[in-house]
Amino acid sequence: MKKINIQYKPLILSALIFLTFGCKKTLDVNVDPNNPPIEQASPEVLFPSGIMGTAGIVGGELTILGGIWSQYWTQSNASNQYKTIDTYNLTRVDLNGPYDRLLSGSLADFNLSIKLAQERSDWRYNLMATVMKAYTYQVLVDIYDQVPYTEAFQGAANLQPKFDDGYSIYVALLAEMDAALAKDFSAPLTSSQAKGDFLFNGDMDSWVQFANTLKLKMYLRMVNAKPAEAQAGITKLYADGANFLTTSAGIAEFEGTPNNSNPFYEYNIRRLNTTTNVRASKTLTTWLVKNGDLRTVTYFGTATPTAMHQGDFAATAQEQPSYSSATVAAQDATDPVWFINESESYFMQAEALERYFGGAGAKAKYDAGVTAAFAEASQSGGAAFIAPGGKYAYKSAGSFEDKLEQIIVQKWASLPRSGHTIEAFFEQQRTGYPKNSPVYSTDPSYDPENAASPNHRGEWVYAKNGVTAGKFPKRLVFPASSRDRNKNTPAEVPIYTKVWWGK
């Protein structure tokens, strides 16, 4: 992955952070002759703006949400910032950014980029923008289930677009990617054009791999709801000789200065002026520490973190005296925001090979996934864990469910510093792994002193102060911006209602 020189990202990211997290204000903006109106924009301008918008939401608000709901970390007992997330008490006035900024910001940029690229027969930017549109829509659909698609981006011509169901949107996005892949995009980008490609610097082979890997992910999402279509889509990818990502796709480097940092760091640390809002969760740390996994150092800055029980932020110093010194979740201003990282690509391929090809080659992809995951965490030693007798050695003789659990749990363990922790949440809703624990993590059977005893470490626990009567969250509710303005917004359902592909 290239190290990008962030030249015009400062303005884009500054605007993004303000729009996502800032107060609501009315701005008097004059037209700058050096910044023409949107009607005069080009894909070279719109496309990088859309990328940064998607990175800001996926790597910011959705990383906070995904990190807590995937039980990497939990709300500190010394602050209040994320209590509504940790208690599953989100309403239509919370977390508007994912819906508002992705739909009216990033996706509008990508959609117009595609239109302009097609008008000038630029099939390179057409493919790039189509893939990013599909990725961004996939995130929206997976968290809201239904969003505007066929009537979106019409501006004043349709201020109340209808909502399309998630399955129909998936089918349409897959068709859009197939159409873009069928074009001739072999002409190289000029150096000026390539500057707008923050992911691959104009390397179209890598964009093809990104498209194929995204298609693989979307078909795997469909395995519960549309098993025949999922199998047909995946087997066709392999029959066509599709190449998948062998490197991570996303924003490889942030500058680390104000308004130019990793979005999670920018919001959670720089703007809140504290490092202690999120603390290590027992759910993840018990699993890592008992396995001797040094990624603990990457995720928490120490091999022996002091962790909190998930959602136990109301505990007093007398009840949980260690909470005052609980380990914070490690973050850095220059952390990447990956859309799909290398290890994730290998884990998806391992699952596909187990599901549809009798497991041929699955172990090799799983091993590559674990090795890549350790490297992504700047830790060596992955090879020792997957060697025969190693704690993460592939269960070649196990059942399909044994292997699927192993693959997905390893995927979960690979994502805390990936910049898209929401992916671990999605995968648990799809597969059921990591499992939901029948006991809370304070129960002696969760992490027993005797390592040989049956245990539940690493299994997700229902948050101590959860408000949904023991039911885990599975989606977000539509924000007030949609509910109050668009009569076509679907009827609200409980946050624990599964989305269309959920298990």
Side-chain angles (χ1 to χ4, degrees):
M1 177 58 56
K2 70 167 185 168
K3 299 292 187 179
I4 60 176
N5 180 18
I6 309 174
Q7 297 180 43
Y8 44 94
K9 269 198 308 192
L11 178 60
I12 295 170
L13 189 54
S14 296
L16 169 72
I17 295 295
F18 175 81
L19 288 172
T20 305
F21 303 120
C23 300
K24 294 182 179 178
K25 299 180 181 179
T26 300
L27 300 180
D28 181 15
V29 181
N30 296 317
V31 175
D32 183 346
N34 296 316
N35 294 280
I38 193 69
E39 293 81 6
Q40 301 176 27
S42 66
E44 289 85 355
V45 173
L46 291 164
F47 181 68
S49 176
I51 286 180
M52 292 311 300
T54 297
I57 292 297
V58 171
E61 281 184 285
L62 289 181
T63 277
I64 294 167
L65 178 77
I68 292 175
W69 281 4
S70 299
Q71 305 199 11
Y72 297 140
W73 48 74
T74 187
Q75 168 67 58
S76 169
N77 66 327
S79 60
N80 302 304
Q81 193 68 27
Y82 308 125
K83 285 184 177 179
T84 55
I85 296 175
D86 218 358
T87 58
Y88 320 138
N89 195 26
L90 292 171
T91 68
R92 65 193 187 117
V93 299
D94 301 308
L95 269 91
N96 293 345
Y99 183 90
D100 292 343
R101 305 309 169 200
L102 291 183
L103 194 61
S104 63
S106 296
L107 283 169
D109 286 341
F110 296 137
N111 196 68
L112 185 53
S113 294
I114 293 167
K115 177 178 180 292
L116 295 172
Q118 290 177 351
E119 287 175 354
R120 69 186 194 189
S121 297
D122 185 344
W123 306 122
R124 301 154 304 176
Y125 264 93
N126 177 63
L127 175 62
M128 291 155 57
T130 298
V131 174
M132 283 305 305
K133 175 185 175 181
Y135 172 84
T136 305
Y137 251 123
Q138 169 252 309
V139 172
L140 266 181
V141 168
D142 290 355
I143 200 73
Y144 290 106
D145 194 48
Q146 303 174 65
V147 292
Y149 177 79
T150 55
E151 296 184 1
F153 318 123
Q154 297 179 15
N158 187 354
L159 297 176
Q160 296 190 335
K162 74 172 185 178
F163 282 63
D164 297 277
D165 66 276
Y167 166 67
S168 296
I169 296 174
Y170 259 50
V171 171
L173 293 172
L174 288 164
E176 284 192 43
M177 284 193 284
D178 284 342
L181 287 166
K183 298 293 185 180
D184 180 5
F185 42 80
S186 58
L189 292 168
T190 66
S191 58
S192 177
Q193 290 174 319
K195 288 180 180 179
D197 178 6
F198 292 162
L199 276 67
F200 303 116
N201 197 29
D203 181 349
M204 298 311 297
D205 288 341
S206 293
W207 277 103
V208 172
Q209 292 176 3
F210 188 12
N212 289 335
T213 311
L214 179 58
K215 288 172 64 179
L216 177 61
K217 184 201 308 196
M218 293 173 69
Y219 282 125
L220 285 172
R221 285 279 198 271
M222 298 167 67
V223 295
N224 299 318
K226 301 289 181 179
E229 290 179 46
Q231 181 172 358
I234 291 173
T235 54
K236 186 177 188 305
L237 279 171
Y238 279 87
D240 291 344
N243 292 317
F244 303 106
L245 284 170
T246 57
T247 187
S248 298
I251 305 302
E253 183 177 289
F254 290 90
E255 290 182 346
T257 56
N259 297 321
N260 298 290
S261 300
N262 170 278
F264 180 26
Y265 181 93
E266 188 73 35
Y267 181 45
N268 185 57
I269 292 181
R270 196 188 305 281
R271 287 184 171 264
L272 298 178
N273 197 31
T274 179
T275 62
T276 59
N277 273 315
V278 287
R279 308 279 187 151
S281 171
K282 284 275 188 183
T283 307
L284 177 60
T285 59
T286 54
W287 187 87
L288 290 169
V289 172
K290 290 302 172 67
N291 285 322
D293 193 324
L294 285 180
R295 287 178 292 181
T296 314
V297 177
T298 303
Y299 301 154
F300 302 110
T302 174
T304 55
T306 300
M308 290 180 59
H309 298 282
Q310 192 72 34
D312 195 24
F313 53 78
T316 66
Q318 289 73 31
E319 293 171 325
Q320 295 288 355
S322 65
Y323 283 3
S324 61
S325 59
T327 307
V328 300
Q331 301 162 64
D332 191 87
T334 60
D335 279 349
V337 172
W338 301 126
F339 300 137
I340 298 177
N341 49 331
E342 179 184 350
S343 60
E344 185 182 356
S345 173
Y346 293 133
F347 289 135
M348 285 192 285
Q349 293 174 65
E351 179 183 347
L353 293 170
E354 284 292 354
R355 281 187 181 275
Y356 305 122
F357 299 95
K363 178 184 182 301
K365 295 300 182 184
Y366 167 85
D367 288 351
V370 175
T371 303
F374 272 76
E376 289 161 0
S378 300
Q379 296 293 339
S380 60
F385 278 87
I386 58 176
K391 292 189 176 181
Y392 302 154
Y394 196 57
K395 299 177 180 178
S396 297
S399 67
F400 170 75
E401 283 299 322
D402 290 335
K403 297 169 187 175
L404 179 63
E405 179 176 13
Q406 188 174 27
I407 292 167
I408 302 301
V409 169
Q410 284 298 328
K411 188 185 295 186
W412 170 68
S414 74
L415 292 170
R417 298 260 321 247
S418 67
H420 64 292
T421 60
I422 194 67
E423 185 65 24
F425 169 73
F426 291 149
E427 285 293 81
Q428 205 272 349
Q429 307 314 305
R430 178 178 73 91
T431 66
Y433 301 121
K435 295 175 181 175
N436 292 332
S437 172
V439 298
Y440 191 57
S441 48
T442 52
D443 190 288
S445 68
Y446 188 85
D447 182 28
E449 290 296 326
N450 182 355
S453 299
N455 65 80
H456 299 286
R457 64 180 71 105
E459 295 179 3
W460 290 11
V461 299
Y462 185 78
K464 180 68 175 290
N465 291 287
V467 300
T468 51
K471 298 176 181 178
F472 286 83
K474 298 181 182 298
R475 64 165 68 201
L476 289 179
V477 298
F478 292 108
S481 58
S482 177
R483 178 73 56 203
D484 296 345
R485 300 173 189 171
N486 189 345
K487 65 181 180 181
N488 293 313
T489 303
E492 190 165 305
V493 297
I495 200 171
Y496 48 78
T497 306
K498 70 179 183 180
V499 297
W500 71 275
W501 48 254
K503 186 171 183 178

